[in-house]
Amino acid sequence: MSKRILFIFVLCTFILKHKAQFLDKKFYLIDSIEKKETNKNDFILIDNNLKKYHSTNSDTVKLNLLSEIVEGGNDQNIWIRYNRLLYIIADELAKKEQNKFLKNKFLSKKAQAINNYAFYVQNDWKDSKTAWNIYYKAIAIQEEIGYKLNLTI
């Protein structure tokens, strides 16, 4: 009987010690992320950008900071979730914005998030057909707002 109790105690201690320690959603804005040795460089960027994010009232600055996290992140379990947040916030802001200049800024970030998602689908899911359909959605938004690349032919 005492061996069972000791075994259960040791097992519980091991589980609690190795249980994932998820970070504060209020600061990190997304659920269930954890710092690991493998993503410590991502968290340097995330921590720096989120400190700035929480200290500004500018929606465009906030979107730019989220965009930097997405573009600079390597841990796909993290950057793809910040990309989803970027999409949601940009979409909500674009829907309610009356100023055409700001609306186009928000739509541009929405298109960027869609483009990033297509990249993820193409490279992680290995599904080029679906990825191209998603890429076309980003292109349609860019065309809608008159975004033109400076191409030299």
Side-chain angles (χ1 to χ4, degrees), residues 12-147:
C12 288
T13 303
F14 178 79
I15 290 171
L16 289 174
K17 181 180 179 204
H18 289 54
K19 184 180 122 186
Q21 298 295 314
F22 296 124
L23 301 171
D24 178 23
K25 182 184 177 191
K26 187 175 180 180
F27 179 77
Y28 287 98
L29 306 173
I30 57 176
D31 278 329
S32 308
I33 61 171
E34 62 179 316
K35 288 183 182 180
K36 299 183 247 178
E37 187 63 30
T38 56
N39 65 14
K40 68 180 178 182
N41 289 333
D42 286 5
F43 272 96
I44 293 169
L45 174 65
I46 292 168
D47 289 340
N48 288 336
N49 281 26
L50 290 180
K51 285 175 191 170
K52 295 173 190 172
Y53 179 96
H54 290 293
S55 68
T56 187
N57 292 324
S58 169
D59 291 328
T60 54
V61 171
K62 287 182 177 186
L63 289 177
N64 288 335
L65 291 166
L66 288 176
S67 177
E68 286 179 18
I69 291 171
V70 172
E71 298 298 328
N74 291 312
D75 187 331
Q76 77 179 29
N77 294 318
I78 296 175
W79 77 258
I80 194 67
R81 292 162 74 196
Y82 278 106
N83 190 66
R84 178 171 164 70
L85 181 62
L86 175 66
Y87 173 85
I88 290 168
I89 294 172
D91 185 51
E92 289 172 358
L93 290 169
K95 285 178 181 173
K96 69 179 185 180
E97 185 57 57
Q98 298 299 314
N99 178 293
K100 186 175 180 175
F101 177 79
L102 288 175
K103 184 179 189 87
N104 286 350
K105 286 272 191 194
F106 300 147
L107 286 171
S108 177
K109 289 299 181 187
K110 178 181 175 181
Q112 178 188 0
I114 292 169
N115 189 66
N116 290 336
Y117 181 65
F119 173 84
Y120 173 78
V121 169
Q122 182 179 0
N123 291 291
D124 198 60
W125 296 1
K126 308 293 186 215
D127 186 348
S128 295
K129 183 178 179 183
T130 302
W132 279 111
N133 289 330
I134 298 168
Y135 281 126
Y136 286 126
K137 290 178 184 178
I139 291 169
I141 292 170
Q142 291 171 340
E143 288 175 347
E144 174 190 337
I145 63 175
Y147 180 78

